[in-house]
Amino acid sequence: MNIHEYQAKEVFRKYGVPTPEGGVAFSSEEARRVAEDLDSDLWVVKAQIHAGGRGKAGGVKLAKSLDEVEEIANEMLGMTLVTHQTGPEGKVVKKVYIEEGADIKAEYYLGMVLDRALEMPVMMASTEGGMEIEEVAAKTPEKIVKVAIDPTIGFKPFHARKLAFGLGLGKDEQKSFIKFAAALYNVYMDNDAEMIEINPLIKTGEGKFIALDAKMGFDDNALYKHHEIAEMRDLDEEEPTEAEAKRHGLSYIKLDGNVGCMVNGAGLAMATMDIIKHEGGEPANFLDVGGAANPDTVAKGFEIILSDKNVKSIFVNIFGGIVRCDRVANGILEATKRVEVSVPVVVRLDGTNAIEAAEILRNANIQNIIPATDLEDGAKKAVAVAKGDK
Amino acid sequence: MSILVNKDTKAIVQGFTGKEGTFHAEQCMAYGTNIVGGVTPNKGGMTHLGKPVFNTVEEAVQATDATVSMIFVPPAFVADAVMEAADGGIELAVIITEGAPVKDMMYAKHYAQKKGMMTIGPNCPGIITAEECKLGIMPGNIFKKGNVGLISKSGTLTYEASNQVVKAGFGITTAIGIGGDPIIGLSYKQLLPMFEADPETEAIVMIGEIGGDLEIQAAKLIKEQITKPVIAFIAGQTAPKGKRMGHAGAIISGSKGTAAEKMQALKEAGAYVVESPADIGATVVKALAEKK
């Protein structure tokens, strides 16, 4: 789960990670009030969406007066921001963050993420603040300095010194940086964060380090430990159908094709998308119905897939293990009674009791249901009907 | 022969008396697995499914000489269970639990390594040596005995692959679902050499996914150490960048971790890379024919 910049900065402050003063606003009047309360004569108005690249897209603007704060907030609220991370459809701005202007002497990058190969968190820093870190990694990897932190010893001064020397910081600046990095490590570990990115981290004229931006993502599996973080979830930032699927224990991601897929297991679901493409079609979605595949989940699955009007056929691909195929077949029949399935459904059931399942489907004799013998046969049939071939 | 587990393996179940633990322990015993007991705190002294229940792993190991533990403990407590297994003298923990916090597993794995305990999972179907020992939630009937080793990140795709291998007229030595979480136990890197050393295994099927770089590491190892044919499929060729696909591990970040990159690396390492998931069985036939 990701949170907004203003929320991440709230978390930072709790741990003593320095940030500029600021507040969130949902209207231009509120934006003015927030600005008034800040002891500053220069403000930054920042669109709050879960995506990077806001500055270039016009989502971060400087204001020199309270009137200007109100004006910019007014323009920004309700606008659709398109950045390289939002996709072409962009994201509607529903809140802005008003922050005091900062005295920027230098910009850096600082981030934390799990290194899966080393199986420990890594803190990364770079002198190339304000730039896309992936771009820096690709073009000038020598400008990124990394330290892997063994969680059993925790973040030590030597880790911080290594980063500070890598950034070329002088003796006087090191102290402020080391304190900053140590606090950030605590933010990451205490909250089961998946990722933290500060871009830019700035050094002020006085040599102090401040997080000018903040992005944070959390491990969904650990949210039960952190109620205050879980409450920061912003449903506006989630695709409504995907969120709806999640509430029913399904994992759904909408894609651009016209062959709907309903599969048990994430790996097989991805493989099903792959084979549809391989057979010349385009998958309309990823949908993992999980281990259960009972009438309720299957019916919900049909509903969600059919909410996408591009869908011309549905490929149900279930490999029955502990879940027996005959039960799944009955579930499918039951689901078609509850939901009006307007497109042909190709059904491939394999594994435990597959023969009985085929019998059940054949006897039901529903016109819209086309049985398939295996993965390839199912994919071919689903692609063919989506194209209008019989 | 086989790898890691066989008919002589003595196993316990942590979370033995819970709903999941009970159901799957029963299935495993029906398959022929030698489950010698289980652990559920505060239920020590009971008998469950005809086997003794212990309060701690240490007691269970002392009383039964078990070397393997299959873990069904709920996500919030699973890291503790894994560390208890390591502390109690277990040699291999098979962690089925789905939804374990990544940080918890990170600590658990570090401790397991320190104690010399191997782990499989979490969030995985487990391990099965065909017709000898099943420690997991996979349907046993799909895994007929044969000469193909199977390593997979995904659950149902493991069943699909085994089914194809069996339908093609071959069978499985041992199949391991390694799980798709960011922190996992045994992976291709450790398992491929085990299959290489197993005289019964003649070919190895490996199923990967987008995200992370385990398959890239595997490619390097295949090139250097593996002489047996490796048949590889990578799921997620059509997955959009940056989208999450149900498994926490399956995230593409930048260019690293794409299916294309992994398939290329495996091809260069000499593996038989399968583009359509329907061709796994046929490719095993081809690989074994070319070997002779």
Side-chain angles (χ1 to χ4, degrees):
Chain A
M1 185 193 88
N2 296 326
I3 60 173
H4 288 291
E5 173 195 2
Y6 77 93
Q7 296 166 320
K9 284 181 173 170
E10 273 170 31
V11 179
F12 279 13
R13 284 185 202 114
K14 263 188 230 164
Y15 284 83
V17 176
T19 67
E21 290 298 316
V24 69
F26 295 82
S27 69
S28 51
E29 300 78 38
E30 202 181 351
R32 187 188 184 101
R33 280 201 301 277
V34 171
E36 262 171 354
D37 288 345
L38 295 171
D39 180 26
S40 183
D41 48 12
L42 186 69
W43 299 269
V44 188
V45 183
K46 304 172 95 175
Q48 297 297 292
I49 57 165
H50 288 182
R54 292 172 302 167
K56 276 184 204 150
V60 179
K61 285 189 170 154
L62 215 60
K64 296 196 176 86
S65 69
L66 290 171
D67 285 342
E68 220 181 329
V69 167
E70 201 172 332
E71 208 175 291
I72 293 169
N74 193 38
E75 274 169 30
M76 231 177 245
L77 287 161
M79 81 183 264
T80 302
L81 213 56
V82 182
T83 83
H84 67 283
Q85 287 188 357
T86 58
E89 67 279 7
K91 273 186 172 167
V92 178
V93 180
K94 297 195 171 165
K95 40 197 159 281
V96 290
Y97 186 58
I98 319 298
E99 200 168 65
E100 61 182 2
D103 168 23
I104 304 173
K105 200 179 165 205
E107 295 188 32
Y108 303 92
Y109 168 94
L110 190 64
M112 265 193 92
V113 72
L114 174 77
D115 186 320
R116 290 205 213 170
L118 298 174
E119 299 176 330
M120 46 181 90
V122 167
M123 200 181 280
M124 298 177 281
S126 168
T127 50
E128 304 304 288
M131 279 185 56
E132 271 300 314
I133 198 67
E134 286 92 346
E135 219 178 295
V136 179
K139 287 184 190 153
T140 48
E142 70 281 1
K143 287 186 175 167
I144 298 176
V145 40
K146 290 184 211 170
V147 290
I149 304 144
D150 183 335
T152 56
I153 66 164
F155 191 76
K156 296 291 164 200
F158 80 85
H159 291 124
R161 283 199 301 273
K162 202 174 155 191
L163 292 170
F165 289 128
L167 293 177
L169 300 181
K171 200 178 167 196
D172 296 339
E173 302 159 339
Q174 282 175 19
K175 222 172 156 187
S176 167
F177 176 81
I178 290 172
K179 222 176 127 191
F180 186 102
L184 192 72
Y185 176 79
N186 291 336
V187 171
Y188 184 89
M189 293 303 283
D190 279 7
N191 295 289
D192 288 78
E194 203 169 63
M195 170 278 296
I196 301 182
E197 207 168 52
I198 302 172
N199 194 14
L201 162 72
I202 60 156
K203 189 172 71 188
T204 65
E206 295 167 338
K208 270 190 69 188
F209 285 86
I210 296 179
L212 205 59
D213 190 19
K215 280 192 197 69
M216 262 189 107
F218 299 87
D219 175 6
D220 285 351
N221 289 348
L223 283 176
Y224 75 91
K225 298 187 213 170
H226 311 287
H227 295 288
E228 68 298 346
I229 302 277
E231 276 169 20
M232 291 180 179
R233 166 159 262 144
D234 184 351
L235 290 175
D236 283 342
E237 289 289 335
E238 291 172 28
E239 221 274 314
T241 339
E242 290 174 16
E244 163 83 4
K246 210 172 185 178
R247 271 195 292 282
H248 290 87
L250 308 173
S251 178
Y252 171 84
I253 292 170
K254 192 190 168 308
L255 303 168
D256 298 328
N258 62 7
V259 182
C261 314
M262 189 177 338
V263 190
N264 64 335
L268 189 60
M270 281 194 274
T272 304
M273 288 159 46
D274 293 343
I275 196 168
I276 285 168
K277 182 102 178 176
H278 190 80
E279 297 299 339
E282 289 291 336
N285 66 277
F286 165 93
L287 176 61
D288 174 10
V289 292
N294 57 43
D296 291 338
T297 53
V298 173
K300 197 72 214 172
F302 278 133
E303 234 174 74
I304 287 167
I305 291 173
L306 290 166
S307 70
D308 174 1
K309 295 301 162 212
N310 291 331
V311 171
K312 296 281 184 291
S313 71
I314 298 175
F315 181 19
V316 178
N317 182 21
I318 306 281
F319 203 102
I322 301 299
V323 192
R324 290 170 8 215
C325 289
D326 52 332
R327 286 216 189 143
V328 179
N330 281 321
I332 292 169
L333 295 181
E334 177 68 30
T336 54
K337 280 178 206 156
R338 286 196 225 163
V339 184
E340 200 203 330
V341 182
S342 47
V343 301
V345 181
V346 177
V347 183
R348 180 264 178 149
L349 296 171
D350 213 331
T352 316
N353 290 9
I355 296 163
E356 291 86 338
E359 191 71 22
I360 291 167
L361 290 179
R362 207 174 313 119
N363 291 341
N365 201 19
I366 299 175
Q367 205 191 352
N368 246 356
I369 293 188
I370 304 164
T373 51
D374 59 28
L375 188 53
E376 190 171 8
D377 182 47
K380 278 190 170 139
K381 283 176 174 162
V383 170
V385 275
K387 284 183 175 164
D389 312 333
K390 284 285 165 184
Chain B
M1 285 288 285
S2 54
I3 68 167
L4 292 164
V5 297
N6 58 38
K7 59 183 189 324
D8 299 322
T9 300
K10 285 183 183 172
I12 54 164
V13 179
Q14 284 174 265
F16 190 35
T17 58
K19 195 179 149 210
E20 294 275 300
T22 301
F23 177 79
H24 290 292
E26 216 167 7
Q27 299 270 329
C28 291
M29 286 158 78
Y31 192 77
T33 308
N34 190 14
I35 305 249
V36 293
V39 176
T40 300
N42 296 311
K43 294 204 172 160
M46 255 178 69
T47 299
H48 186 62
L49 306 178
K51 303 290 171 188
V53 182
F54 301 91
N55 280 325
T56 67
V57 173
E58 193 176 18
E59 285 173 70
V61 169
Q62 276 166 7
T64 65
D65 290 328
T67 55
V68 180
S69 177
M70 176 166 64
I71 302 181
F72 283 98
V73 171
F77 314 105
V78 67
D80 181 53
V82 173
M83 292 188 275
E84 187 189 349
D87 183 67
I90 290 291
E91 292 166 17
L92 170 68
V94 182
I95 314 157
I96 308 297
T97 309
E98 181 181 349
V102 175
K103 185 178 78 178
D104 297 6
M105 288 315 301
M106 176 171 74
Y107 282 111
K109 175 128 190 240
H110 277 255
Y111 184 66
Q113 275 171 336
K114 192 175 157 193
K115 286 281 178 178
M117 180 180 79
M118 294 182 286
T119 54
I120 294 175
N123 190 12
C124 76
I127 177 169
I128 183 167
T129 288
E131 294 164 26
E132 290 191 31
C133 177
K134 165 178 125 120
L135 284 164
I137 59 173
M138 65 288 273
N141 58 320
I142 296 166
F143 298 84
K144 298 275 180 281
K145 208 172 187 51
N147 55 4
V148 179
L150 176 55
I151 313 168
S152 170
K153 262 189 187 174
S154 141
T156 40
L157 200 47
T158 312
Y159 316 158
E160 174 71 43
S162 175
N163 197 43
Q164 285 186 29
V165 170
V166 170
K167 277 188 176 166
F170 293 92
I172 301 295
T173 47
T174 301
I176 304 106
I178 61 175
D181 277 8
I183 301 271
I184 57 170
L186 295 178
S187 171
Y188 309 111
K189 214 164 84 177
Q190 296 83 27
L191 294 166
L192 284 165
M194 292 185 200
F195 277 128
E196 176 75 16
D198 173 37
E200 225 170 78
T201 301
E202 288 178 34
I204 308 158
V205 172
M206 72 170 263
I207 312 273
E209 267 178 21
I210 51 169
D213 69 345
L214 292 176
E215 294 85 351
I216 305 277
Q217 293 174 33
K220 235 180 256 165
L221 189 127
I222 289 168
K223 202 171 190 173
E224 289 162 7
Q225 301 178 24
I226 307 298
T227 60
K228 295 177 181 176
V230 176
I231 298 90
F233 173 73
I234 307 293
Q237 299 165 50
T238 48
K241 268 193 175 187
K243 287 271 190 178
R244 196 173 154 139
M245 290 289 167
H247 285 176
I251 298 172
I252 305 181
S253 46
S255 66
K256 245 191 163 187
T258 61
E261 191 185 345
K262 293 181 179 187
M263 288 163 78
Q264 185 59 35
L266 286 160
K267 253 180 224 162
E268 281 167 14
Y272 292 82
V273 177
V274 179
E275 279 183 23
S276 163
D279 295 339
I280 297 167
T283 312
V284 168
V285 175
K286 187 181 156 206
L288 283 170
E290 285 180 6
K291 195 182 167 192
K292 276 166 191 159

